[in-house]
């Protein structure tokens, strides 16, 4: 029984993957025209208005959300509600994108003529340009799929998956065409961890000099430990008289030295420090700092300013509190 369940589940995967591949292979000039019309709309200060009923409507909501999150203003308009006032969402410079695989959904077709009277262009994503929806459209992006994963070939499965991927493709192409950056993404996601990582910089999350254990190269290990305890951190930063970074000494270094030399407390920092440690610039993004910490397998990292002077350090233990991990 278990084997039969997994066989059937994998059949669904295979059917839907085949459908997505078919849509991918059939992408052509109509998709390019769709991208161009979207760019024209956005450049004119308009928005992309997606509409659909049933499963296509749910996918339309997701596509609209994805588009908006990557710099292409978009909203979803329910066709039924549009006939009772929500048509006011539409403005002259907008582009209406109607979603219906059959192209014969009555509730959707009923709102398209009133919408077009507002002077907007209509693009449809459907199985055939010969459908009622296709004939009403200024542009048709056809996306026929071989079959649904449903054994009756009725429940929208492959078609909705393919539509979702097509919507993602549109969003990502528009992202590229507009030159949308990681910083732009962060500005549109200020409340989440993603937004914090792509807007916060090292200087925003570091401990400043007043909260760091900073010593000179002539300081002893004992001096460094006292500073580390006072700052409640696991590393001491060694700098020269001009505040330029020389090295770092961690509590792990202390343990390793103590194993072979119990008199290590009286040694100078110049003898025991790790010279030229990994450091990041104060203006680097938090996400870049995280990558360095993860790739180097370190817990602390020194932050320097634009002139190369020690500005502070970042302790990995602080990051969960900043909701960056």
């Amino acid at each position: 029984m278990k084997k039969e369940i997994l066989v059937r589940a994998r059949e669904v995967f295979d059917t839907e993957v085949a459908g997505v591949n078919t849509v991918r292979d059939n992408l052509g000039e109509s998709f390019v025209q769709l991208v161009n019309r979207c760019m024209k709309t956005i450049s004119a200060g308009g928005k992309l208005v997606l509409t659909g009923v049933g499963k296509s409507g749910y996918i339309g909501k997701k596509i609209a959300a994805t588009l908006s999150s990557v710099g292409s203003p978009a909203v979803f308009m329910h066709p039924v509600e549009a006939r009772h006032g929500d048509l006011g969402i539409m403005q002259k410079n907008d582009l209406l994108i109607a979603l219906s695989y059959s192209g014969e959904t009555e509730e959707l077709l009923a709102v398209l003529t009133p919408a077009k009277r507002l002077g907007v262009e209509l693009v449809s994503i459907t199985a055939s340009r010969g459908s009622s929806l296709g004939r009403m459209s200024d542009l048709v992006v056809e996306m026929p799929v071989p079959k649904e994963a449903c054994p009756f070939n009725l429940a929208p499965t492959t078609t909705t998956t393919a539509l979702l991927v097509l919507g993602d493709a549109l969003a990502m192409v528009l992202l590229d065409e507009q030159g949308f950056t990681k910083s732009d993404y962060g500005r549109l996601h200020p409340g989440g961890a993603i937004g914090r990582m792509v807007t916060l910089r090292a200087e925003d999350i570091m401990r400043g000099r007043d909260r760091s254990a900073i010593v000179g190269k002539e300081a002893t290990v004992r001096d460094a430990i006292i500073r580390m305890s006072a700052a409640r951190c696991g590393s001491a930063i060694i700098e020269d008289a001009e505040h330029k970074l020389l090295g770092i000494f961690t509590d792990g270094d202390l343990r390793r030295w103590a194993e072979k030399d119990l008199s290590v407390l009286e040694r100078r920092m110049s003898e025991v420090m790790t010279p030229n440690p990994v450091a990041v610039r104060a203006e680097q993004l938090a996400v870049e700092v995280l990558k360095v910490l993860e790739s180097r397998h370190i817990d602390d990292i020194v932050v320097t300013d634009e002139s190369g002077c020690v500005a502070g350090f970042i302790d990995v233990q602080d990051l969960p509190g900043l909701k960056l991990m």
Side-chain angles (χ1 to χ4, degrees):
M1 177 62 73
K2 179 179 179 180
K3 182 177 180 181
E4 292 176 359
I5 290 173
L6 295 177
V7 167
R8 177 59 183 137
R10 287 169 181 146
E11 286 176 353
V12 172
F13 273 81
D14 292 341
T15 300
E16 299 207 12
V17 168
V20 170
N21 285 335
T22 297
V23 174
R24 180 201 63 188
D25 294 342
N26 287 333
L27 282 180
E29 181 59 28
S30 63
F31 184 80
V32 175
Q33 290 183 36
L34 170 58
V35 171
N36 291 337
R37 293 191 187 207
C38 289
M39 288 295 295
K40 179 181 176 182
T41 297
I42 295 167
S43 298
K47 62 184 177 293
L48 311 178
V49 180
L50 288 97
T51 188
V53 177
K55 306 302 186 294
S56 293
Y58 289 119
I59 300 300
K61 291 178 183 178
K62 191 275 177 186
I63 294 174
T66 299
L67 286 165
S68 293
S69 74
V70 294
S72 298
V75 296
F76 178 79
M77 179 181 72
H78 195 288
V80 175
E81 298 299 337
R83 296 182 67 193
H84 296 275
D86 280 7
L87 198 58
I89 291 173
M90 299 290 307
Q91 294 177 314
K92 187 175 182 180
N93 289 329
D94 293 345
L95 179 66
L96 181 60
I97 303 176
L99 313 174
S100 171
Y101 187 71
S102 70
E104 303 296 341
T105 307
E106 293 182 4
E107 298 94 332
L108 177 62
L109 296 175
V111 77
L112 297 183
T113 297
K116 293 191 70 174
R117 289 196 189 112
L118 299 177
V120 299
E121 286 190 319
L122 170 62
V123 175
S124 63
I125 300 178
T126 186
S128 171
R129 66 180 64 254
S131 65
S132 298
L133 173 58
R135 292 194 300 272
M136 295 180 68
S137 304
D138 299 300
L139 173 67
V140 180
V141 178
E142 291 183 297
M143 52 156 282
V145 299
K147 64 176 180 177
E148 301 283 11
C150 168
F152 315 118
N153 201 37
L154 294 174
T157 46
T158 309
T159 50
T160 48
T161 300
L163 178 59
L164 180 63
V165 176
L166 184 62
D168 286 342
L170 176 61
M172 295 304 104
V173 170
L174 290 174
L175 178 153
D176 293 340
E177 291 293 304
Q178 295 182 84
F180 191 79
T181 66
K182 189 184 294 184
S183 295
D184 295 327
Y185 188 86
R187 282 194 289 272
L188 297 182
H189 298 74
I194 293 175
R196 285 188 288 274
M197 283 196 294
V198 297
T199 54
L200 289 178
R201 300 186 181 276
E203 61 190 350
D204 299 318
I205 63 175
M206 72 179 186
R207 297 188 187 188
R209 291 181 61 89
D210 59 330
R211 298 177 56 212
S212 304
I214 302 175
V215 297
K217 64 179 180 179
E218 297 303 315
T220 65
V221 171
R222 186 188 302 276
D223 296 331
I225 292 174
I226 292 172
R227 295 283 185 89
M228 291 161 64
S229 297
R232 296 182 179 180
C233 60
S235 300
I237 301 168
I238 299 88
E239 65 177 16
D240 64 16
E242 297 178 344
H243 304 306
K244 296 296 177 65
L245 176 64
L246 295 176
I248 194 168
F249 183 77
T250 69
D251 50 11
D253 293 329
L254 174 63
R255 289 192 297 272
R256 285 186 286 274
W257 272 95
E259 288 176 359
K260 56 184 179 181
D261 183 4
L262 292 178
S263 64
V264 66
L265 291 180
E266 305 309 320
R267 285 183 174 270
R268 304 293 180 186
M269 284 290 100
S270 57
E271 301 176 67
V272 298
M273 71 180 184
T274 300
N276 303 314
V278 179
V280 294
R281 297 289 291 272
E283 67 270 17
Q284 283 186 250
L285 292 172
V287 66
E288 296 172 346
V289 175
L290 280 179
K291 289 178 181 177
V292 174
L293 290 169
E294 292 171 355
S295 64
R296 297 299 188 103
H297 303 289
I298 54 178
D299 293 332
D300 301 325
I301 193 166
V302 183
V303 180
T304 59
D305 62 20
E306 58 185 11
S307 62
C309 296
V310 174
F313 87 108
I314 294 172
D315 188 332
V316 71
Q317 295 183 36
D318 294 337
L319 301 185
L322 296 168
K323 297 182 180 180
L324 290 173
M325 298 182 69

